[in-house]
Amino acid sequence: LEDIYQALFHGIVPKPHLATQSQKLENTNFVHELDRITQAIISGILEAQNTAIIGDPIAVPETQSKVILRKKIGMAELRRQRRRYLKLAQLQ
């Protein structure tokens, strides 16, 4: 509690540690690659929804994983989720 009091009222900030430091991106192409991969995943899901029945496993492009969708997801919702994911990934 003393450290918190010092930080709040006396401006003495504790040293940053691993949990509070932002990690530097090693790959300068990270955002471009992430954009490309997420776009491929969205395209794959939309394409698979046209041929698959709800509850069938759908292969996720660029991975070995499969997902089971419980309902059809529209393009607008997939794009919205993609944008949210890209913003979250860029913050880290």
Side-chain angles (χ1 to χ4, degrees):
L1 288 176
E2 183 63 31
D3 291 339
I4 295 171
Y5 176 80
Q6 293 293 330
L8 290 175
F9 297 108
H10 298 290
I12 301 172
V13 181
K15 294 180 184 176
H17 50 79
L18 187 59
T20 59
Q21 291 179 344
S22 62
Q23 307 238 344
K24 300 205 187 274
L25 299 175
E26 297 297 325
N27 186 357
T28 57
N29 246 2
F30 174 75
V31 175
H32 177 70
E33 284 296 309
L34 188 61
D35 183 55
R36 183 187 63 77
I37 291 170
T38 55
Q39 186 59 46
I41 290 171
I42 287 176
S43 298
I45 289 173
L46 288 172
E47 188 175 312
Q49 285 185 127
N50 290 334
T51 58
I53 298 172
I54 295 175
D56 285 350
I58 296 175
V60 179
E62 307 275 338
T63 70
Q64 302 290 326
S65 301
K66 291 188 177 191
V67 296
I68 297 175
L69 299 179
R70 306 217 184 271
K71 64 176 186 169
K72 285 199 171 199
I73 303 172
M75 182 183 293
E77 176 65 21
L78 289 170
R79 285 186 176 168
R80 191 170 28 254
Q81 294 297 333
R82 177 175 169 260
R83 278 194 305 270
R84 289 176 67 195
Y85 179 75
L86 289 173
K87 284 182 184 179
L88 178 65
Q90 289 175 3
L91 290 176
Q92 294 182 6

